[in-house]
Coordinates of all heavy atoms in Angstrom, one line a residue:
N11 N 13.2 5.4 -19.1 CA 13.6 4.0 -19.1 C 14.5 3.8 -20.4 O 13.9 3.9 -21.5 CB 12.5 3.0 -19.1 CG 12.9 1.6 -19.0 OD1 14.0 1.3 -18.5 ND2 12.1 0.7 -19.5
H12 N 15.8 3.7 -20.3 CA 16.7 3.6 -21.4 C 16.5 4.8 -22.4 O 16.5 4.7 -23.6 CB 16.5 2.3 -22.2 CG 16.7 1.1 -21.4 ND1 17.9 0.7 -20.9 CD2 15.8 0.2 -20.8 CE1 17.8 -0.4 -20.2 NE2 16.5 -0.7 -20.1
G13 N 16.3 6.0 -21.8 CA 16.1 7.2 -22.6 C 14.7 7.5 -23.0 O 14.4 8.6 -23.5
D14 N 13.7 6.6 -22.7 CA 12.4 6.9 -23.0 C 11.6 7.4 -21.8 O 11.8 6.9 -20.7 CB 11.7 5.6 -23.6 CG 12.3 5.1 -24.9 OD1 12.7 6.0 -25.7 OD2 12.3 3.9 -25.0
I15 N 10.7 8.3 -22.0 CA 9.8 8.8 -21.0 C 8.7 7.8 -20.8 O 8.0 7.5 -21.8 CB 9.3 10.2 -21.3 CG1 10.4 11.2 -21.3 CG2 8.2 10.6 -20.2 CD1 10.0 12.6 -21.8
V16 N 8.6 7.2 -19.6 CA 7.5 6.2 -19.4 C 6.5 6.8 -18.4 O 5.4 6.1 -18.2 CB 8.1 4.9 -18.9 CG1 9.0 4.2 -19.9 CG2 8.9 5.1 -17.6
L17 N 6.7 7.9 -17.8 CA 5.8 8.5 -16.8 C 6.0 10.0 -16.7 O 7.2 10.4 -16.8 CB 6.1 7.8 -15.5 CG 5.2 8.0 -14.3 CD1 3.8 7.4 -14.7 CD2 5.7 7.2 -13.1
S18 N 5.0 10.7 -16.6 CA 5.1 12.1 -16.4 C 4.0 12.6 -15.5 O 3.0 12.0 -15.3 CB 5.1 12.9 -17.7 OG 3.9 12.8 -18.3
G19 N 4.2 13.8 -14.9 CA 3.2 14.3 -14.0 C 3.8 14.6 -12.6 O 5.0 14.3 -12.4
S20 N 3.1 15.2 -11.7 CA 3.6 15.5 -10.4 C 3.7 14.3 -9.6 O 3.0 13.3 -9.8 CB 2.7 16.6 -9.7 OG 1.5 15.9 -9.2
L21 N 4.7 14.3 -8.7 CA 4.9 13.1 -7.8 C 3.6 12.7 -7.1 O 3.2 11.6 -7.0 CB 6.0 13.3 -6.9 CG 6.4 12.2 -6.0 CD1 6.7 10.9 -6.8 CD2 7.5 12.5 -5.1
R22 N 2.9 13.7 -6.6 CA 1.6 13.5 -5.9 C 0.6 12.8 -6.8 O 0.0 11.9 -6.4 CB 1.1 14.9 -5.4 CG -0.1 14.8 -4.6 CD -0.6 16.1 -4.1 NE -1.5 15.9 -3.0 CZ -2.0 16.9 -2.3 NH1 -1.8 18.2 -2.7 NH2 -2.8 16.7 -1.3
E23 N 0.5 13.3 -8.0 CA -0.5 12.7 -9.0 C -0.1 11.2 -9.3 O -1.0 10.3 -9.3 CB -0.6 13.5 -10.3 CG -1.2 14.8 -10.1 CD -1.0 15.7 -11.4 OE1 -0.1 15.4 -12.2 OE2 -1.7 16.7 -11.5
I24 N 1.2 11.0 -9.5 CA 1.7 9.7 -9.8 C 1.4 8.7 -8.7 O 0.9 7.6 -8.8 CB 3.2 9.7 -10.2 CG1 3.3 10.5 -11.5 CG2 3.8 8.3 -10.3 CD1 4.8 10.9 -11.8
K25 N 1.8 9.1 -7.4 CA 1.5 8.3 -6.3 C 0.1 8.0 -6.1 O -0.3 6.8 -5.8 CB 2.1 8.9 -5.0 CG 3.6 8.8 -4.9 CD 4.1 9.3 -3.6 CE 5.6 9.0 -3.4 NZ 6.0 9.2 -2.0
H26 N -0.8 9.0 -6.3 CA -2.2 8.8 -6.1 C -2.7 7.8 -7.2 O -3.5 6.9 -6.8 CB -3.0 10.1 -6.3 CG -4.4 10.0 -6.2 ND1 -5.1 9.7 -5.0 CD2 -5.4 10.0 -7.2 CE1 -6.4 9.6 -5.3 NE2 -6.6 9.8 -6.6
E27 N -2.3 8.0 -8.4 CA -2.8 7.1 -9.5 C -2.3 5.6 -9.3 O -3.1 4.7 -9.4 CB -2.3 7.5 -10.9 CG -2.7 6.7 -12.0 CD -2.1 7.1 -13.3 OE1 -2.1 8.3 -13.6 OE2 -1.7 6.3 -14.1
M28 N -1.1 5.4 -8.9 CA -0.5 4.1 -8.7 C -1.0 3.5 -7.4 O -1.1 2.2 -7.3 CB 1.0 4.1 -8.7 CG 1.6 4.4 -10.1 SD 3.3 4.2 -10.1 CE 3.4 2.4 -9.9
G29 N -1.5 4.3 -6.5 CA -2.0 3.7 -5.2 C -3.5 3.5 -5.3 O -4.1 2.9 -4.3
M30 N -4.2 3.9 -6.3 CA -5.6 3.8 -6.4 C -6.1 2.4 -6.3 O -5.5 1.5 -6.9 CB -6.1 4.4 -7.8 CG -7.5 4.7 -7.8 SD -8.0 5.5 -9.4 CE -7.0 7.0 -9.3
D31 N -7.1 2.2 -5.5 CA -7.7 0.8 -5.3 C -6.8 -0.1 -4.6 O -7.0 -1.3 -4.6 CB -8.1 0.2 -6.6 CG -9.2 1.0 -7.3 OD1 -10.0 1.6 -6.7 OD2 -9.2 1.0 -8.6
R32 N -5.7 0.5 -3.9 CA -4.8 -0.4 -3.1 C -4.8 0.1 -1.7 O -4.9 1.3 -1.4 CB -3.4 -0.3 -3.7 CG -3.3 -1.0 -5.0 CD -1.9 -0.8 -5.7 NE -1.8 -1.6 -6.9 CZ -2.3 -1.2 -8.0 NH1 -3.0 -0.2 -8.2 NH2 -2.1 -2.0 -9.1
L33 N -4.8 -0.9 -0.8 CA -4.8 -0.6 0.6 C -3.6 -1.4 1.3 O -3.1 -2.3 0.7 CB -6.1 -1.2 1.2 CG -7.4 -0.8 0.6 CD1 -8.6 -1.6 1.0 CD2 -7.7 0.7 0.9
T34 N -3.3 -0.9 2.5 CA -2.3 -1.6 3.3 C -3.0 -2.2 4.5 O -4.1 -1.7 4.9 CB -1.2 -0.7 3.8 OG1 -1.8 0.4 4.6 CG2 -0.4 -0.1 2.6
L35 N -2.5 -3.3 5.0 CA -3.1 -4.0 6.2 C -2.0 -4.6 6.9 O -1.1 -5.4 6.4 CB -4.1 -5.0 5.7 CG -4.8 -5.8 6.9 CD1 -5.6 -4.9 7.8 CD2 -5.6 -6.9 6.3
S36 N -1.9 -4.4 8.2 CA -1.0 -5.2 9.1 C -1.9 -5.6 10.3 O -2.9 -5.0 10.6 CB 0.2 -4.3 9.6 OG -0.2 -3.2 10.3
A37 N -1.4 -6.6 11.0 CA -2.1 -7.2 12.2 C -1.2 -7.4 13.4 O 0.0 -7.7 13.2 CB -2.8 -8.5 11.8
V38 N -1.8 -7.3 14.5 CA -1.1 -7.5 15.8 C -0.8 -9.0 15.9 O 0.2 -9.4 16.3 CB -1.9 -7.0 17.0 CG1 -1.2 -7.4 18.3 CG2 -2.0 -5.5 16.9
N39 N -1.8 -9.8 15.6 CA -1.7 -11.3 15.9 C -1.3 -12.1 14.7 O -1.3 -13.4 14.8 CB -3.1 -11.8 16.4 CG -4.2 -11.5 15.5 OD1 -4.2 -10.6 14.6 ND2 -5.3 -12.2 15.6
Y40 N -0.9 -11.6 13.6 CA -0.4 -12.3 12.4 C 0.8 -11.6 11.8 O 0.7 -10.4 11.6 CB -1.5 -12.5 11.3 CG -2.6 -13.4 11.6 CD1 -3.9 -12.9 12.1 CD2 -2.5 -14.8 11.5 CE1 -4.9 -13.7 12.4 CE2 -3.6 -15.6 11.7 CZ -4.8 -15.1 12.2 OH -5.8 -15.9 12.5
E41 N 1.8 -12.4 11.5 CA 2.9 -11.8 10.7 C 2.4 -11.7 9.3 O 1.4 -12.4 8.9 CB 4.2 -12.6 10.9 CG 4.2 -14.1 10.6 CD 4.3 -14.4 9.1 OE1 4.9 -13.6 8.4 OE2 3.8 -15.4 8.7
A42 N 3.1 -11.0 8.5 CA 2.6 -10.7 7.1 C 2.3 -11.9 6.3 O 1.3 -11.9 5.6 CB 3.6 -9.7 6.4
G43 N 3.2 -12.9 6.3 CA 2.9 -14.1 5.5 C 1.7 -14.8 5.9 O 0.8 -15.2 5.0
R44 N 1.5 -15.0 7.2 CA 0.2 -15.7 7.7 C -1.0 -14.8 7.4 O -2.1 -15.3 7.1 CB 0.4 -16.0 9.1 CG 1.4 -17.1 9.5 CD 0.9 -18.5 9.3 NE -0.1 -18.7 10.3 CZ -1.3 -19.2 9.9 NH1 -1.6 -19.5 8.7 NH2 -2.3 -19.4 10.8
L45 N -0.8 -13.5 7.6 CA -1.9 -12.6 7.3 C -2.4 -12.7 5.9 O -3.6 -12.7 5.6 CB -1.6 -11.2 7.7 CG -2.6 -10.1 7.5 CD1 -3.9 -10.4 8.3 CD2 -2.1 -8.7 7.8
A46 N -1.4 -12.8 5.0 CA -1.7 -13.0 3.5 C -2.6 -14.2 3.3 O -3.6 -14.2 2.6 CB -0.5 -13.0 2.7
E47 N -2.2 -15.3 3.9 CA -3.0 -16.6 3.8 C -4.4 -16.4 4.3 O -5.4 -16.8 3.7 CB -2.3 -17.7 4.6 CG -1.0 -18.1 4.0 CD -0.2 -19.1 4.9 OE1 -0.8 -19.6 5.9 OE2 1.0 -19.4 4.6
K48 N -4.5 -15.7 5.5 CA -5.8 -15.4 6.1 C -6.7 -14.6 5.2 O -7.9 -14.9 4.9 CB -5.6 -14.8 7.4 CG -6.8 -14.5 8.2 CD -7.2 -15.7 9.0 CE -8.2 -15.4 10.0 NZ -8.8 -16.6 10.6
V49 N -6.1 -13.5 4.6 CA -6.9 -12.6 3.7 C -7.3 -13.4 2.5 O -8.5 -13.3 2.0 CB -6.0 -11.4 3.3 CG1 -6.7 -10.6 2.2 CG2 -5.9 -10.5 4.6
E50 N -6.4 -14.2 1.9 CA -6.7 -14.9 0.7 C -7.8 -16.0 0.9 O -8.7 -16.2 0.1 CB -5.5 -15.6 0.1 CG -4.5 -14.6 -0.5 CD -3.2 -15.2 -0.9 OE1 -2.9 -16.3 -0.4 OE2 -2.4 -14.5 -1.6
T51 N -7.9 -16.5 2.1 CA -8.9 -17.5 2.5 C -10.2 -16.9 2.8 O -11.2 -17.4 2.3 CB -8.4 -18.3 3.7 OG1 -7.1 -19.0 3.4 CG2 -9.4 -19.4 4.1
E52 N -10.2 -15.8 3.6 CA -11.5 -15.3 4.1 C -12.0 -14.0 3.4 O -13.2 -13.7 3.5 CB -11.3 -15.0 5.6 CG -11.1 -16.3 6.4 CD -11.0 -16.0 7.9 OE1 -11.6 -15.0 8.3 OE2 -10.4 -16.9 8.6
L53 N -11.1 -13.3 2.7 CA -11.5 -12.0 2.2 C -11.3 -11.8 0.7 O -11.3 -10.7 0.2 CB -10.8 -10.9 3.0 CG -11.1 -10.9 4.5 CD1 -10.1 -10.0 5.2 CD2 -12.5 -10.6 4.8
S54 N -11.0 -12.9 0.0 CA -10.7 -12.8 -1.4 C -11.8 -12.3 -2.3 O -11.5 -11.8 -3.4 CB -10.2 -14.2 -2.0 OG -11.3 -15.1 -1.9
H55 N -13.0 -12.3 -1.8 CA -14.1 -11.7 -2.6 C -14.0 -10.2 -2.6 O -14.7 -9.5 -3.4 CB -15.5 -12.2 -2.1 CG -15.7 -11.8 -0.6 ND1 -15.0 -12.4 0.4 CD2 -16.6 -10.9 -0.1 CE1 -15.5 -11.8 1.6 NE2 -16.4 -11.0 1.3
L56 N -13.3 -9.6 -1.6 CA -13.2 -8.1 -1.5 C -11.8 -7.6 -2.0 O -11.7 -6.6 -2.7 CB -13.3 -7.7 -0.1 CG -14.7 -8.1 0.6 CD1 -14.6 -7.7 2.1 CD2 -15.8 -7.3 -0.1
V57 N -10.7 -8.3 -1.7 CA -9.4 -7.9 -2.0 C -8.5 -9.1 -2.4 O -8.8 -10.2 -2.0 CB -8.7 -7.1 -0.8 CG1 -9.4 -5.8 -0.5 CG2 -8.6 -8.0 0.4
R58 N -7.5 -8.8 -3.1 CA -6.5 -9.8 -3.4 C -5.1 -9.3 -2.9 O -4.9 -8.1 -2.9 CB -6.4 -10.2 -4.8 CG -5.7 -9.2 -5.8 CD -5.6 -9.8 -7.2 NE -5.3 -8.8 -8.1 CZ -4.0 -8.3 -8.3 NH1 -3.0 -8.7 -7.6 NH2 -3.8 -7.3 -9.2
V59 N -4.3 -10.2 -2.4 CA -3.0 -9.8 -1.9 C -2.1 -9.5 -3.1 O -1.8 -10.4 -3.9 CB -2.4 -10.9 -1.0 CG1 -1.0 -10.5 -0.6 CG2 -3.3 -11.2 0.2
E60 N -1.7 -8.3 -3.2 CA -0.8 -7.9 -4.4 C 0.6 -8.1 -4.0 O 1.4 -8.4 -4.8 CB -1.1 -6.4 -4.7 CG -0.5 -6.0 -6.0 CD -1.0 -4.7 -6.5 OE1 -0.5 -3.7 -6.1 OE2 -2.0 -4.7 -7.3
Q61 N 1.0 -7.8 -2.8 CA 2.4 -7.9 -2.3 C 2.4 -8.1 -0.8 O 1.6 -7.5 -0.1 CB 3.1 -6.6 -2.7 CG 4.6 -6.7 -2.7 CD 5.3 -5.5 -3.3 OE1 4.7 -4.5 -3.6 NE2 6.6 -5.6 -3.5
V62 N 3.4 -8.9 -0.4 CA 3.6 -9.1 1.0 C 4.9 -8.4 1.3 O 6.0 -8.8 0.8 CB 3.8 -10.6 1.4 CG1 4.0 -10.8 2.9 CG2 2.5 -11.4 1.0
K63 N 4.8 -7.3 2.1 CA 6.0 -6.6 2.6 C 6.5 -7.2 3.9 O 5.8 -8.1 4.4 CB 5.7 -5.1 2.8 CG 5.3 -4.4 1.5 CD 6.5 -4.2 0.6 CE 6.3 -3.2 -0.5 NZ 7.5 -2.7 -1.2
K64 N 7.5 -6.7 4.5 CA 8.1 -7.2 5.7 C 7.0 -7.2 6.9 O 6.9 -8.1 7.6 CB 9.3 -6.4 6.1 CG 10.0 -6.9 7.3 CD 11.3 -6.2 7.6 CE 11.9 -6.7 8.9 NZ 13.2 -6.0 9.2
E65 N 6.3 -6.1 7.0 CA 5.4 -5.9 8.1 C 4.0 -5.7 7.8 O 3.1 -5.6 8.6 CB 5.9 -4.7 9.0 CG 7.3 -5.0 9.6 CD 7.8 -3.8 10.4 OE1 7.0 -2.9 10.7 OE2 8.9 -3.8 10.8
Y66 N 3.7 -5.6 6.5 CA 2.3 -5.4 6.1 C 2.0 -5.9 4.7 O 2.9 -6.4 4.0 CB 2.0 -3.9 6.1 CG 2.8 -3.0 5.1 CD1 2.3 -2.7 3.9 CD2 4.0 -2.5 5.5 CE1 3.0 -2.0 3.0 CE2 4.7 -1.8 4.6 CZ 4.2 -1.5 3.4 OH 4.9 -0.7 2.5
L67 N 0.7 -5.9 4.3 CA 0.3 -6.4 3.0 C -0.1 -5.2 2.2 O -0.6 -4.2 2.7 CB -0.9 -7.3 3.1 CG -0.8 -8.5 4.0 CD1 -2.1 -9.3 4.0 CD2 0.3 -9.4 3.6
I68 N 0.0 -5.3 0.8 CA -0.6 -4.4 -0.1 C -1.7 -5.2 -0.8 O -1.5 -6.3 -1.3 CB 0.4 -3.9 -1.1 CG1 1.6 -3.1 -0.5 CG2 -0.3 -3.0 -2.2 CD1 2.7 -2.7 -1.4
L69 N -2.9 -4.6 -0.6 CA -4.1 -5.3 -1.1 C -4.7 -4.5 -2.3 O -4.6 -3.3 -2.3 CB -5.1 -5.4 0.0 CG -4.7 -6.0 1.3 CD1 -5.8 -5.9 2.3 CD2 -4.3 -7.5 1.1
K70 N -5.2 -5.2 -3.3 CA -5.9 -4.6 -4.4 C -7.4 -4.9 -4.3 O -7.8 -6.0 -4.1 CB -5.4 -5.2 -5.7 CG -6.1 -4.8 -6.9 CD -5.6 -3.5 -7.5 CE -6.2 -3.2 -8.9 NZ -6.5 -1.9 -9.1
G71 N -8.2 -3.8 -4.3 CA -9.7 -4.0 -4.3 C -10.2 -4.8 -5.4 O -9.8 -4.6 -6.6
Q72 N -11.1 -5.7 -5.1 CA -11.7 -6.6 -6.1 C -13.2 -6.2 -6.5 O -13.8 -6.9 -7.3 CB -11.7 -8.1 -5.6 CG -10.3 -8.7 -5.4 CD -9.6 -8.9 -6.8 OE1 -9.0 -8.0 -7.3 NE2 -9.8 -10.0 -7.3
C73 N -13.6 -5.2 -5.8 CA -15.0 -4.8 -6.0 C -15.2 -3.3 -5.7 O -14.2 -2.7 -5.2 CB -16.0 -5.6 -5.1 SG -15.6 -5.3 -3.3
E74 N -16.3 -2.8 -6.1 CA -16.6 -1.4 -5.9 C -16.7 -1.1 -4.3 O -17.2 -2.0 -3.6 CB -17.9 -1.0 -6.5 CG -18.1 0.5 -6.5 CD -19.3 0.9 -7.4 OE1 -19.4 0.4 -8.5 OE2 -20.1 1.7 -6.9
D75 N -16.1 -0.1 -3.9 CA -16.1 0.3 -2.5 C -15.4 -0.8 -1.6 O -15.9 -1.1 -0.5 CB -17.6 0.5 -2.0 CG -17.7 1.4 -0.8 OD1 -16.7 2.1 -0.5 OD2 -18.8 1.5 -0.2
A76 N -14.3 -1.3 -2.1 CA -13.6 -2.4 -1.4 C -13.1 -1.9 0.0 O -13.2 -2.7 0.9 CB -12.5 -2.9 -2.2
K77 N -12.7 -0.7 0.1 CA -12.2 -0.2 1.4 C -13.2 -0.3 2.5 O -13.0 -0.9 3.6 CB -11.6 1.2 1.3 CG -11.1 1.8 2.6 CD -10.6 3.2 2.4 CE -10.3 3.9 3.6 NZ -10.0 5.3 3.5
R78 N -14.4 0.2 2.2 CA -15.4 0.2 3.2 C -15.9 -1.2 3.5 O -16.1 -1.6 4.7 CB -16.6 1.0 2.7 CG -17.8 1.2 3.8 CD -19.0 1.9 3.2 NE -19.5 1.2 2.0 CZ -20.3 0.1 2.1 NH1 -20.6 -0.4 3.3 NH2 -20.8 -0.4 1.0
K79 N -16.0 -2.0 2.5 CA -16.5 -3.4 2.7 C -15.4 -4.2 3.5 O -15.7 -5.1 4.3 CB -16.8 -4.0 1.4 CG -18.0 -3.5 0.7 CD -18.3 -4.0 -0.6 CE -19.5 -3.4 -1.3 NZ -19.7 -3.9 -2.7
L80 N -14.1 -4.0 3.2 CA -13.1 -4.7 3.9 C -13.1 -4.3 5.4 O -13.0 -5.2 6.2 CB -11.7 -4.3 3.3 CG -10.5 -4.9 4.0 CD1 -10.5 -6.4 3.9 CD2 -9.2 -4.4 3.4
L81 N -13.2 -3.1 5.7 CA -13.2 -2.6 7.1 C -14.4 -3.3 7.8 O -14.2 -3.8 9.0 CB -13.3 -1.1 7.2 CG -12.0 -0.4 6.7 CD1 -12.3 1.1 6.7 CD2 -10.8 -0.7 7.6
A82 N -15.5 -3.4 7.2 CA -16.7 -4.1 7.8 C -16.4 -5.5 8.0 O -16.7 -6.1 9.0 CB -17.9 -3.8 7.0
A83 N -15.8 -6.2 7.0 CA -15.6 -7.6 7.0 C -14.5 -8.0 8.0 O -14.6 -9.1 8.6 CB -15.2 -8.1 5.6
L84 N -13.5 -7.1 8.2 CA -12.5 -7.4 9.2 C -13.0 -7.6 10.6 O -12.5 -8.4 11.4 CB -11.4 -6.3 9.2 CG -10.4 -6.3 8.0 CD1 -9.6 -5.0 7.9 CD2 -9.5 -7.5 8.1
S85 N -14.1 -6.9 10.9 CA -14.7 -7.1 12.2 C -15.3 -8.4 12.5 O -15.4 -8.8 13.6 CB -15.8 -6.0 12.5 OG -16.9 -6.2 11.6
G86 N -15.5 -9.2 11.4 CA -16.0 -10.5 11.6 C -15.0 -11.6 11.5 O -15.3 -12.8 11.5
T87 N -13.7 -11.2 11.6 CA -12.6 -12.2 11.6 C -11.9 -12.1 12.9 O -12.2 -11.2 13.7 CB -11.6 -11.9 10.4 OG1 -10.9 -10.7 10.7 CG2 -12.3 -11.8 9.1
D88 N -10.9 -12.9 13.1 CA -10.0 -12.9 14.3 C -8.8 -12.0 14.1 O -7.9 -12.0 14.9 CB -9.6 -14.3 14.8 CG -8.6 -14.9 13.8 OD1 -8.6 -14.6 12.7 OD2 -8.0 -15.9 14.3
I89 N -8.7 -11.3 12.9 CA -7.6 -10.4 12.6 C -7.7 -9.2 13.5 O -8.6 -8.4 13.5 CB -7.6 -10.0 11.2 CG1 -7.5 -11.2 10.3 CG2 -6.5 -9.0 10.9 CD1 -7.7 -10.9 8.8
D90 N -6.6 -9.0 14.4 CA -6.5 -7.8 15.2 C -5.7 -6.8 14.5 O -4.5 -6.8 14.4 CB -5.8 -8.2 16.5 CG -5.7 -7.1 17.5 OD1 -6.2 -6.0 17.3 OD2 -5.1 -7.3 18.6
V91 N -6.4 -5.9 13.8 CA -5.8 -4.9 12.9 C -4.9 -4.0 13.7 O -5.3 -3.3 14.6 CB -6.9 -4.1 12.2 CG1 -6.3 -3.0 11.3 CG2 -7.8 -5.0 11.3
A92 N -3.7 -3.9 13.2 CA -2.7 -3.0 13.8 C -2.8 -1.6 13.0 O -2.8 -0.6 13.6 CB -1.3 -3.5 13.7
Q93 N -2.9 -1.8 11.7 CA -3.0 -0.6 10.8 C -3.6 -0.9 9.5 O -3.3 -2.0 8.9 CB -1.6 0.0 10.7 CG -1.6 1.4 10.0 CD -0.2 2.0 10.0 OE1 0.8 1.4 10.4 NE2 -0.2 3.3 9.6
T94 N -4.3 0.0 8.9 CA -4.8 -0.1 7.6 C -4.9 1.3 7.0 O -5.0 2.2 7.7 CB -6.2 -0.9 7.5 OG1 -6.5 -1.1 6.1 CG2 -7.3 -0.1 8.2
G95 N -4.8 1.4 5.7 CA -4.9 2.7 5.1 C -4.7 2.6 3.6 O -4.6 1.5 3.0
M96 N -4.7 3.7 3.0 CA -4.5 3.8 1.5 C -3.0 3.6 1.2 O -2.2 4.1 1.9 CB -4.9 5.1 1.0 CG -6.4 5.5 1.2 SD -7.5 4.3 0.5 CE -7.3 4.5 -1.2
Y97 N -2.7 2.8 0.2 CA -1.3 2.5 -0.2 C -0.7 3.7 -0.9 O -1.4 4.2 -1.8 CB -1.3 1.3 -1.0 CG 0.1 1.0 -1.7 CD1 1.2 0.8 -0.9 CD2 0.2 1.1 -3.1 CE1 2.4 0.6 -1.5 CE2 1.4 0.8 -3.7 CZ 2.5 0.6 -2.9 OH 3.8 0.4 -3.5
E98 N 0.5 4.1 -0.5 CA 1.2 5.2 -1.2 C 2.5 4.6 -1.6 O 3.4 4.3 -0.8 CB 1.4 6.4 -0.4 CG 2.1 7.5 -1.1 CD 2.2 8.8 -0.3 OE1 1.1 9.4 0.0 OE2 3.3 9.2 0.0
P99 N 2.7 4.3 -2.9 CA 4.0 3.7 -3.4 C 5.2 4.6 -3.1 O 5.1 5.8 -3.2 CB 3.7 3.5 -4.9 CG 2.7 4.5 -5.3 CD 1.9 4.7 -4.1
S100 N 6.3 3.9 -2.8 CA 7.6 4.6 -2.7 C 8.1 4.9 -4.1 O 7.7 4.4 -5.1 CB 8.6 3.7 -1.9 OG 9.0 2.6 -2.8
L101 N 9.1 5.8 -4.1 CA 9.8 6.1 -5.4 C 10.3 4.8 -6.1 O 10.3 4.6 -7.3 CB 10.9 7.2 -5.2 CG 10.4 8.5 -4.9 CD1 11.5 9.5 -4.7 CD2 9.5 9.1 -6.0
N102 N 10.9 3.9 -5.2 CA 11.4 2.7 -5.7 C 10.3 1.8 -6.3 O 10.5 1.2 -7.4 CB 12.2 1.9 -4.7 CG 12.9 0.7 -5.2 OD1 13.8 0.8 -6.0 ND2 12.4 -0.5 -4.8
D103 N 9.2 1.7 -5.7 CA 8.0 1.0 -6.2 C 7.6 1.5 -7.5 O 7.3 0.8 -8.5 CB 6.9 1.0 -5.2 CG 7.1 0.3 -3.9 OD1 8.0 -0.5 -3.8 OD2 6.4 0.7 -2.9
I104 N 7.6 2.8 -7.7 CA 7.2 3.5 -8.9 C 8.2 3.1 -10.0 O 7.8 2.7 -11.1 CB 7.0 5.0 -8.8 CG1 5.9 5.3 -7.8 CG2 6.8 5.7 -10.1 CD1 5.8 6.7 -7.3
F105 N 9.4 3.3 -9.7 CA 10.5 3.0 -10.7 C 10.4 1.5 -11.2 O 10.4 1.3 -12.4 CB 11.9 3.3 -10.1 CG 13.0 2.9 -11.1 CD1 13.3 3.8 -12.1 CD2 13.6 1.7 -11.0 CE1 14.3 3.5 -13.0 CE2 14.6 1.4 -11.9 CZ 15.0 2.3 -12.9
V106 N 10.3 0.6 -10.3 CA 10.3 -0.8 -10.6 C 9.0 -1.1 -11.5 O 9.1 -1.8 -12.4 CB 10.3 -1.7 -9.4 CG1 10.0 -3.2 -9.7 CG2 11.7 -1.6 -8.7
A107 N 7.9 -0.5 -11.1 CA 6.6 -0.8 -11.8 C 6.7 -0.2 -13.3 O 6.2 -0.8 -14.2 CB 5.5 -0.1 -11.1
K108 N 7.4 0.9 -13.4 CA 7.4 1.6 -14.7 C 8.6 1.2 -15.6 O 8.5 1.2 -16.8 CB 7.3 3.1 -14.6 CG 5.9 3.5 -14.0 CD 4.8 3.1 -14.9 CE 3.5 3.6 -14.3 NZ 2.4 3.2 -15.2
A109 N 9.7 1.0 -15.0 CA 11.0 0.8 -15.7 C 11.5 -0.6 -15.5 O 12.5 -1.0 -16.2 CB 12.0 1.8 -15.3
G110 N 10.9 -1.4 -14.6 CA 11.5 -2.8 -14.4 C 12.6 -2.7 -13.4 O 13.0 -1.6 -12.9
D111 N 13.1 -3.8 -13.0 CA 14.1 -3.9 -11.9 C 15.5 -4.1 -12.5 O 16.4 -4.4 -11.8 CB 13.8 -5.0 -10.9 CG 13.7 -6.4 -11.5 OD1 14.0 -6.5 -12.7 OD2 13.3 -7.3 -10.8
G112 N 15.7 -3.8 -13.8 CA 17.0 -3.8 -14.4 C 17.3 -5.2 -15.1 O 18.4 -5.3 -15.6
E113 N 16.4 -6.1 -15.0 CA 16.7 -7.4 -15.6 C 16.3 -7.4 -17.0 O 15.5 -6.8 -17.5 CB 16.0 -8.5 -14.8 CG 16.5 -8.7 -13.4 CD 15.7 -9.8 -12.7 OE1 15.0 -10.5 -13.2 OE2 16.0 -9.9 -11.5

């Protein structure tokens, strides 16, 4: 960043570290914005919405073992899960997080 090294290591290690404690979630019956509202209302004790992408959410675990607890809690909601998994940041996500967006 402006000639300074702000990050080093293998891409795999960097992605793993930056994705730690973060999950993705999308639903069949909710678009991402409405899904974020639903998660914040019903599941905020487990996760917080870190980012709303076009088709999915990036969630940050709020407790130990958040992934397992979230999966169990989702079964008690009306959210029809399309996909969930571990978050893997893109190269752009990594750059913006470490060097900013140029502003």
Side-chain angles (χ1 to χ4, degrees):
N11 185 26
H12 302 287
D14 294 326
I15 296 173
V16 294
L17 192 61
S18 65
S20 74
L21 182 57
R22 183 179 200 181
E23 291 169 343
I24 293 167
K25 284 186 170 195
H26 177 75
E27 180 182 318
M28 290 189 67
M30 196 174 301
D31 298 327
R32 288 174 176 79
L33 307 165
T34 60
L35 176 66
S36 62
V38 173
N39 57 337
Y40 288 99
E41 56 83 23
R44 293 274 299 127
L45 180 59
E47 293 172 8
K48 185 85 169 168
V49 168
E50 288 170 348
T51 301
E52 297 185 22
L53 303 168
S54 63
H55 61 291
L56 299 174
V57 294
R58 73 175 167 80
V59 177
E60 190 167 88
Q61 195 171 9
V62 179
K63 295 285 195 172
K64 184 177 179 180
E65 297 180 8
Y66 63 94
L67 306 179
I68 299 173
L69 307 173
K70 172 86 170 140
Q72 295 291 88
C73 61
E74 191 172 314
D75 204 14
K77 179 182 171 185
R78 184 185 60 78
K79 291 176 182 175
L80 175 64
L81 292 174
L84 283 168
S85 67
T87 70
D88 71 338
I89 298 171
D90 184 1
V91 175
Q93 188 172 7
T94 188
M96 300 302 292
Y97 170 64
E98 184 175 295
S100 68
L101 290 177
N102 186 65
D103 294 337
I104 294 168
F105 177 80
V106 170
K108 294 299 180 180
D111 59 8
E113 294 179 10

